Amino acid sequence: MGDVIRVMISEEEIEKRVKELGEIISRDYAGKTLHMICVLKGGVYFMTDLSKRISEDVPVTLDFMSVSSYGDDTKSSGVVRIVKDLDQPLEGKDVLLVEDIIDSGRTLYYLMDIMRGRHPKSLKLCTLLNKPDRRERDVKVDYTGFMIENNFVVGCGMDYKQKYRNLPYVGAVERIEE
Ligand code: IMP
Ligand code: MG
């Protein structure tokens, strides 16, 4: 395989940061039940790792949804179709949406709107990676793992053509063998 992927954020750095985020979130949600929502498939690695770092004093519940975006591959319209909806209602819950990466913000902007319409008690957003330079839509990010420059990255749930999600580090794609 001729693809070249450079380690950008190591497994150790990610583990350390996820632990820190877990501590911060545990403090913020003290006395509440934290309902974590993962957008499949990219968010699944980060959400499960993060959920293990939430204090045992804060009960955690999980739910998953899967969306596909309309529009071509190069530019998503931001309008998403729900392929698999959440199993549970959000009404009255303290909801934390967990994402792998926020790029243009289009998908998240739309999704947060859908979530808000389901009347959670609170709604926050946590992302492992944040690429602020590429933002087109103003989304409020409550918890960020790492700010990164405008590189295309893989690993920790993120893919290139469905591959590399399982890499334990965040890698920048330097060359792809076509
Ligand atoms: P947005 O609507 O542009 O913010 O799209 C965000 C989604 O695009 C993320 O949830 C990822 O699935 C995907 N994405 C954006 N940047 C990258 C990247 O660098 N590597 C892999 N997937 C990415
Ligand atoms: Mg995603």
Side-chain angles (χ1 to χ4, degrees):
M1 192 147 51
D3 299 355
V4 178
I5 295 165
R6 170 177 55 84
V7 178
M8 207 169 97
I9 309 172
S10 71
E11 189 175 359
E12 291 71 28
E13 285 175 275
I14 294 162
E15 262 175 30
K16 182 166 168 277
R17 184 65 183 139
V18 170
K19 194 158 174 266
E20 284 170 2
L21 284 175
E23 284 163 8
I24 296 166
I25 293 168
S26 299
R27 273 201 298 276
D28 291 355
Y29 285 84
K32 298 174 178 170
T33 294
L34 174 60
H35 190 59
M36 300 175 88
I37 289 180
C38 165
V39 183
L40 295 168
K41 310 182 183 77
V44 79
Y45 289 82
F46 176 47
M47 183 173 86
T48 54
D49 284 349
L50 180 62
S51 67
K52 287 185 281 184
R53 298 301 186 175
I54 303 296
S55 157
E56 287 177 34
D57 300 334
V58 177
V60 171
T61 54
L62 306 176
D63 207 349
F64 299 84
M65 76 187 299
S66 179
V67 300
S68 81
S69 54
Y70 289 108
D72 59 45
D73 285 347
T74 51
K75 190 158 178 113
S76 78
S77 58
V79 178
V80 298
R81 185 168 61 88
I82 297 176
V83 177
K84 182 224 170 290
D85 206 344
L86 298 168
D87 291 336
Q88 292 143 30
L90 299 183
E91 190 153 3
K93 293 187 176 136
D94 290 301
V95 175
L96 182 64
L97 190 65
V98 182
E99 260 284 20
D100 48 356
I101 184 164
I102 303 177
D103 188 25
S104 72
R106 284 164 163 266
T107 314
L108 252 290
Y109 187 83
Y110 188 80
L111 265 185
M112 291 295 270
D113 214 44
I114 294 177
M115 299 293 141
R116 237 174 264 118
R118 296 184 182 185
H119 310 292
K121 188 156 125 216
S122 67
L123 177 63
K124 285 191 182 183
L125 176 61
C126 177
T127 185
L128 178 62
L129 302 180
N130 195 339
K131 279 190 207 172
D133 295 350
R134 299 252 306 168
R135 203 60 40 84
E136 290 174 29
R137 288 291 194 145
D138 192 21
V139 285
K140 181 171 175 281
V141 186
D142 299 283
Y143 306 101
T144 296
F146 301 90
M147 293 286 195
I148 62 163
E149 312 228 310
N150 186 18
N151 284 311
F152 190 82
V153 293
V154 292
C156 295
M158 288 162 289
D159 71 302
Y160 174 74
K161 294 191 175 171
Q162 297 301 326
K163 289 191 294 185
Y164 302 120
R165 290 191 196 275
N166 59 314
L167 297 181
Y169 54 87
V170 172
V173 177
E174 306 240 293
R175 196 188 75 210
I176 289 290
E177 194 96 318
E178 292 298 347

